[in-house]
Amino acid sequence: LRPTRYHGAGIHMGIPAATRRSSSLPMMQSPPSCVPSKARRKAVMTAEAPRAQFHAMVDGTADDWSIIAREQMKFAPNGGRRILDHLQLLAEDYGGYSVDRLEHCLQTATRAHRDGRDEEYVVMALLHDIGDTLGAYNHPDIAAAIIKPFVSEQNHWIVEKHGIFQGYYFFDYIGLNRDMREEYRGHPHFEACAEFCEKYDQAAFDPTYETAPLSFFEPMVMKLFERPKRSLYKAAIDRM
């Protein structure tokens, strides 16, 4: 069972009481299935919806790609919802830690928010370990790839390298070099990544910490993932 995160009423450290996490309420619904049902697929793409006619891309036409582009423009801006759904898969996965992986992500983001970081940074903090379920051996790479089109170069670099920088706090206990991060000493984003790990990431395993719920961060996530800052397809997106 989770300890109660919040007590009392009113505003506490910038988090409205109505949105605070508490053990008296269910954390969340069961995570959604990763595999859409046939009914869901039919709802998304009905028989009446226009489809491209080619069976191999070499046979595609401008009309085909116009159809695909329109569908993509409907689908892509809702990436934030899919991100939030996937993040919930981290719930109840403790991996031996004192809090589950979702709580760790929420706590990291809460600490960053309360420290006055901007929304992009807070979302970066929230999602830094979203790759845990799919990349047990390279989770920073997965998280970095997901956020890359939507964040600054610095925030992307922090996520991409945080696994090595976080190792400063435990690598020596598992037979690795805790100073592995030193190979990046002098990089423009070295200090930013070290600060992220020190202030927010390595400190976010406290089961008594008053953590904001996922719903508090939802508007930030939805906003950030509406449109990319950089992408292979950005020029085409901007013309639509």
Side-chain angles (χ1 to χ4, degrees):
L1 295 178
R2 296 176 178 276
T4 300
R5 306 292 181 193
Y6 296 96
H7 304 276
I11 303 298
H12 179 77
M13 299 184 73
I15 311 297
T19 65
R20 297 176 192 164
R21 289 181 62 184
S22 171
S23 59
S24 62
L25 296 174
M27 257 287 290
M28 60 189 67
Q29 296 178 350
S30 298
S33 170
C34 293
V35 181
S37 65
K38 288 184 179 180
R40 185 175 179 184
R41 287 198 296 269
K42 287 180 180 179
V44 173
M45 181 177 285
T46 66
E48 292 76 22
R51 312 256 190 108
Q53 298 302 301
F54 65 79
H55 293 180
M57 283 188 173
V58 69
D59 300 319
T61 66
D63 286 343
D64 287 331
W65 287 102
S66 178
I67 291 170
I68 293 169
R70 285 198 301 272
E71 291 302 308
Q72 178 66 8
M73 291 303 292
K74 296 176 187 175
F75 176 79
N78 293 312
R81 173 52 51 200
R82 295 184 290 277
I83 292 294
L84 291 164
D85 287 347
H86 187 84
L87 195 62
Q88 293 184 67
L89 297 177
L90 276 60
E92 306 304 331
D93 180 358
Y94 286 84
Y97 294 99
S98 57
V99 299
D100 68 29
R101 298 183 192 278
L102 177 60
E103 171 70 15
H104 170 67
C105 289
L106 292 170
Q107 194 173 131
T108 304
T110 302
R111 290 176 182 275
H113 177 265
R114 289 178 179 159
D115 201 32
R117 298 292 183 169
D118 62 30
E119 286 192 1
E120 181 184 303
Y121 191 102
V122 171
V123 173
M124 176 272 289
L126 178 69
L127 303 181
H128 76 284
D129 278 349
I130 195 172
D132 276 352
T133 56
L134 297 175
Y137 301 104
N138 69 329
H139 78 273
D141 298 328
I142 294 174
I146 290 172
I147 70 168
K148 184 176 181 178
F150 306 97
V151 301
S152 68
E153 181 181 340
Q154 177 173 287
N155 285 339
H156 173 257
W157 200 87
I158 289 173
V159 171
E160 185 178 52
K161 305 302 182 188
H162 84 272
I164 293 173
F165 279 65
Q166 191 81 327
Y168 178 78
Y169 300 97
F170 72 94
F171 275 179
D172 53 331
Y173 297 125
I174 61 172
L176 297 177
N177 179 11
R178 73 189 298 248
D179 292 321
M180 196 181 297
R181 69 182 188 175
E182 289 302 313
E183 70 175 288
Y184 298 105
R185 177 74 68 178
H187 189 280
H189 307 316
F190 181 96
E191 295 300 335
C193 191
E195 181 182 40
F196 169 77
C197 289
E198 178 184 2
K199 296 179 69 174
Y200 312 126
D201 196 0
Q202 68 84 25
F205 297 93
D206 182 355
T208 67
Y209 186 78
E210 298 175 341
T211 303
L214 186 56
S215 59
F216 177 79
F217 301 104
E218 180 175 344
M220 304 181 202
V221 174
M222 295 300 294
K223 179 181 177 182
L224 186 68
F225 282 88
E226 278 181 359
R227 198 172 186 88
K229 292 183 175 181
R230 48 183 174 158
S231 167
L232 169 66
Y233 305 106
K234 190 173 188 306
I237 293 170
D238 290 344
R239 288 196 298 270
M240 294 179 184

